[in-house]
Amino acid sequence: MHLSMIYHGRMQRSPTEPLDLGRFEEPAVLILTSLLEGPRHGYAIVRDVEQVAGVRLGPGTLYATLARLEARGLIEGVASDDRRRPYRITDAGTTVLRGRLERMQAIARTGLARMAR
Amino acid sequence: MRALLWLYPRAWRCRYGAEMEALLAQLRGWRRLELALDLVRGAADAHLHPQVPGRRRLRWLPAGLGLLAAALISRAVAGAAGSDRQAVAAGLLAGLWLVAAFAWRWLGSRTAFLFSALVAGRFMADWVALAAVLQLTHLGAAPLPYRVGAAVLEVGLGGVAASLLVRRSRLAGPLPFAAGCALELALGGGLSAGVLLERWLAPAAVEPVRVVLWAAALAWLGRRRRPRPWGEPPEGAPVAARPSPNAPEPLSARARRAS
């Protein structure tokens, strides 16, 4: 399925379909994880990600990832009078993140078990 | 630093410009070069993979201009080297297009990366073939078995270059190798389309145009990456909880109410 079909609203993406985010996969997981705490604007996400994962997200990377997540319906902007618009994770975003984190957990568990042998 | 935001498409600036300006004003402790490179890369990504619906773009114009530029640059280098130093020209062009491939990879365009890498791979194959075997046949001194062997080597190298670079696409298994060999045969000399190229174009332009067409066709065939599951929830995963009633109102709901 082509991405343009999604953001032009011609097809509805199912949360179980694969998403090809390329180099934005890791920032996407970090941002979605940050938004689990509640709605946050760009600077708050950057600071949280740096504190939690030690990764510094540049503004170009941050907004390229936010745009992808928003186009896929995994996050949504929240109304604000400030220039700094907060974002929050959607139900679909939570489902996708849970699947991703469980897969990462399974890989980590397997890797650690093999190292312990 | 805010001036770099003008590199982004207009639709993108309308949607995210104010937020990015506010973020830039707040960021501390960043090196200016690091920040500038991140913004340039982000702007290139916004043009190459627009997530915000904007003005309808002429999709094929940049591709056509890119192919023309690739052929002209390759021809200029091949022409400057002269007919007796084609192996040097092929090596030089392979290096040049390899640098271009890395640049496209950094900027995030898979198709442009694939195209540049294929051109580099094809010139590298030319360099190997010219340096190793084909020099004999070009001198006209080689007997028939050598010429046949050289032709098979040239076609095979085309196939190897294709299978190395296009293997992670939707073309799976032996298909990239077969496509590389088939295109090499189709665009080569003899009874193929190469005869038409030799008739229409100046001798120095034939090989660069042939390489560019070969790479463009393969890049088009391999432009789609093989799908990889991302975030697919495991079977039986619980349904996500609904947001709390005190959560802030989403923008989409406010827009619907206003209209």
Side-chain angles (χ1 to χ4, degrees), chain B residues 10 18 22 24 36 48 89-90 143 159 165 178 191 193 216 227 254:
Chain B
R10 181 197 290 263
L24 283 172
L48 292 166
L165 291 161
L191 297 172
R254 178 186 266 201

Side-chain angles (χ1 to χ4, degrees), chain A:
Chain A
M1 178 165 43
H2 197 266
L3 186 60
S4 62
M5 297 172 85
I6 300 158
Y7 65 66
H8 290 302
R10 278 177 278 168
M11 284 184 84
Q12 194 71 39
R13 177 181 276 281
S14 149
T16 57
E17 279 182 44
L19 294 171
D20 192 8
L21 290 177
R23 71 182 177 94
F24 298 103
E25 282 197 12
E26 190 189 334
V29 171
L30 294 172
I31 290 169
L32 289 174
T33 304
S34 173
L35 294 180
L36 285 176
E37 283 281 282
R40 284 194 163 132
H41 53 69
Y43 183 63
I45 295 172
V46 169
R47 286 198 58 181
D48 185 55
V49 167
E50 194 169 356
Q51 279 170 4
V52 170
V55 174
R56 293 216 304 185
L57 289 178
T61 307
L62 173 71
Y63 277 94
T65 315
L66 285 176
R68 279 167 169 76
L69 294 174
E70 199 174 20
R72 287 159 169 79
L74 305 183
I75 62 169
E76 59 190 3
V78 177
S80 165
D81 296 330
D82 195 359
R83 283 199 306 171
R84 304 178 307 172
R85 190 201 317 257
Y87 292 89
R88 79 168 174 210
I89 192 165
T90 61
D91 287 359
T94 311
T95 310
V96 165
L97 180 63
R98 178 178 291 121
R100 182 68 173 168
L101 293 177
E102 283 177 357
R103 182 166 299 170
M104 287 164 73
Q105 192 181 29
I107 293 169
R109 205 183 300 127
T110 309
L112 289 169
R114 286 179 183 174
M115 282 172 85
R117 274 183 211 162

Side-chain angles (χ1 to χ4, degrees), chain B residues 74-85:
Chain B
S74 305
R75 188 202 163 177
V77 175
S83 58
D84 54 334
R85 296 168 74 188

